[in-house]
Amino acid sequence: MVYATGDKIGPRRLRVGMVGGGRNAFIGAVHRMALRLDDRADLVAGALSSDPENAKLSGADIGIAGDRAYSDYRKMAEAEARRPDGIEAVVIVTPNHLHAPVARAFLEAGIDVICDKPLSASLKEAEELAALARKSGLVFAVTLNNTGYAMVRHARELVASGTLGKIRIVRAEYIQDWLTLPIDADGQKQAEWRTDPARAGRSACLADIGVHAFSLAHFVSGMAPSEVAADLTTFVPGRRLDDNAHVLMRYASGARGVLVASQVSPGNYNRLSVKVYGDKAGLEWHGHEPEYLRFCEFGKPHVILTRGGAAVGGEAARVSRMPAEHPEGYVEGFGNLYRDAIALISARRRGELMESRLAAMVPSVEDGLIGMRFIEASVDSHEAGGVWTQIAAQL
């Protein structure tokens, strides 16, 4: 079902809660910044930590009342569902293994969900969660936040309009260096859980950053691969999951793709990119230069399209906050995703229909499920010696 006619939230802010993201957590703070950026939601409750004292202190840090600073997400879901002023949506920013059980608890309580990626730690959980979300009729957004950049959305429009012609090649990369040394073995919090199979799932690098590159390629190209051949590597001795991944992709249309993800490539702090080439033109977007899109028609000089510039309108103009060359970046992209997700949730709760174009801008539980199927097929392919492996079809 598709909801509403614009990106207005109505006469009041949406009441939102958060699970995870307590003191010393990186991504929770980023989500809160993005949530506040357009002033369309109030964060009024949270289970920011499973430790009662840390939950209380973390809640106090960001202005959550003591009686709504929970240490158990189940109790939070039950209590907030009973309150006349209870939360209307929950943001989940926990380690991977908690995404599915937390989301399930709030869906069952009738509360809309905004969940960090990946959808879960296993494909089985993801399938079950997607089925529950479909049955509930609630909004379930997945914060594949790189789809929120203005020039990524412009790239999507160029592909969808046929400007590139028939798509032949899709390339996506996400390259980092922060796991070059065994900091996970030394107890570094962010590294330690991401490389633990019990909390991260079957993959570390693919589930952490590869899924972002996959989402970006899927969002811009409008296509998901039908099969993959993967080579996953663990370069750091003693590490339990992959820290580097090379994946070949085949599409039903005949297009071919390559995805590279690495967290052990010195000199690369956070290099994300997507490149799409058709039989008429090609484009490239780089996350470290998010304001620009490189576009080239075959046989002509390439041009650099600039966010806010005269040649860039449509969806990119809608989500731009500043004039050209007044830089926008990571938090603004996150904020665009939150603005649209909040509009969807608010519209659903008012019983209004939302324009399908706007709804398509928010990665859904189905998009999260596609990402999980990609991870599962890639790990299966690697374990079978890199053979071509079918990605499970959408139901």
Side-chain angles (χ1 to χ4, degrees):
M1 186 176 291
V2 180
Y3 306 97
T5 53
D7 61 355
K8 305 294 184 185
I9 67 161
R12 62 171 180 79
R13 297 180 182 89
L14 195 73
R15 297 187 299 272
V16 175
M18 178 173 282
V19 178
R23 284 184 169 185
N24 301 318
F26 158 67
I27 202 64
V30 174
H31 280 257
R32 290 192 291 270
M33 282 187 276
L35 190 63
R36 291 193 296 264
L37 199 57
D38 290 296
D39 200 25
R40 298 182 176 202
D42 290 325
L43 183 59
V44 297
L48 305 180
S49 172
S50 59
D51 175 79
E53 184 63 17
N54 189 36
K56 181 179 179 181
L57 294 172
S58 297
D61 286 346
I62 58 175
I64 291 176
D67 66 334
R68 301 181 80 174
Y70 307 88
S71 58
D72 185 324
Y73 68 84
R74 299 175 191 85
K75 292 181 179 177
M76 175 180 166
E78 294 170 1
E80 291 296 321
R82 288 196 303 266
R83 294 180 65 117
D85 62 346
I87 64 169
E88 297 160 294
V90 66
V91 175
I92 303 170
V93 290
T94 63
N96 301 355
H97 71 296
L98 290 172
H99 289 179
V102 175
R104 187 180 304 114
F106 284 89
L107 288 174
E108 290 173 346
I111 295 169
D112 294 284
V113 173
I114 302 172
C115 184
D116 203 9
K117 58 77 204 168
L119 192 55
S120 65
S122 75
L123 180 57
K124 182 176 183 294
E125 281 187 324
E127 299 275 9
E128 293 171 350
L129 190 59
L132 178 60
R134 293 182 202 113
K135 184 179 179 180
S136 73
L138 298 170
V139 172
F140 193 122
V142 180
T143 52
L144 294 158
N145 60 289
N146 297 295
T147 63
Y149 284 102
M151 296 311 288
V152 167
R153 294 190 176 187
H154 190 62
R156 174 189 171 100
E157 287 188 331
L158 288 174
V159 173
S161 70
T163 302
L164 275 64
K166 181 177 174 59
I167 301 305
R168 291 173 169 173
I169 302 164
V170 179
R171 300 179 62 90
E173 295 185 352
Y174 204 155
I175 313 296
Q176 300 174 334
D177 69 358
W178 74 291
L179 290 179
T180 297
L181 299 178
I183 59 174
D184 42 333
D186 296 332
Q188 204 269 10
K189 181 180 178 182
Q190 297 299 324
E192 189 265 334
W193 77 257
R194 283 177 167 82
T195 57
D196 176 9
R199 288 176 285 174
R202 296 181 69 193
S203 169
C205 187
L206 274 183
D208 189 26
I209 62 172
V211 73
H212 274 307
F214 176 82
S215 166
L216 196 57
H218 179 213
F219 185 80
V220 172
S221 72
M223 306 185 302
S226 56
E227 56 182 342
V228 294
D231 179 29
L232 311 185
T233 309
T234 305
F235 281 109
V236 175
R239 184 165 286 158
R240 291 176 288 173
L241 291 172
D242 56 286
D243 48 31
N244 192 86
H246 296 166
V247 185
L248 297 177
M249 302 182 291
R250 288 176 177 167
Y251 295 82
S253 65
R256 296 293 186 264
V258 179
L259 185 146
V260 177
S262 179
Q263 294 174 308
V264 291
S265 296
N268 293 280
Y269 302 131
N270 203 60
R271 291 280 175 144
L272 172 66
S273 66
V274 64
K275 304 173 184 179
V276 182
Y277 305 109
D279 60 5
K280 295 181 180 178
L283 59 79
E284 300 179 5
W285 178 85
H286 298 267
H288 61 284
E289 297 178 327
E291 299 280 83
Y292 307 107
L293 183 67
R294 184 180 184 273
F295 174 76
C296 184
E297 292 183 82
F298 178 69
K300 298 182 180 180
H302 80 261
V303 297
I304 303 297
L305 301 173
T306 303
R307 184 203 56 76
V312 177
E315 177 64 14
R318 184 184 75 85
V319 298
S320 291
R321 293 174 169 79
M322 298 292 174
E325 298 195 341
H326 292 65
E328 293 183 7
Y330 183 66
V331 173
E332 289 86 353
F334 243 119
N336 287 335
L337 187 60
Y338 266 102
R339 181 171 66 183
D340 291 345
I342 288 168
L344 281 176
I345 293 167
S346 298
R348 187 198 69 77
R349 289 183 168 271
R350 294 195 303 269
E352 297 177 0
L353 291 177
M354 167 114 8
E355 183 182 340
S356 59
R357 177 189 59 82
L358 181 60
M361 294 299 106
V362 181
S364 68
V365 70
E366 306 299 340
D367 295 303
L369 182 55
I370 291 170
M372 287 300 302
R373 287 172 171 161
F374 165 75
I375 294 169
E376 186 82 358
S378 296
V379 176
D380 285 347
S381 169
H382 168 73
E383 291 181 348
V387 300
W388 286 100
T389 302
Q390 291 284 329
I391 295 178
Q394 288 292 87
L395 296 177

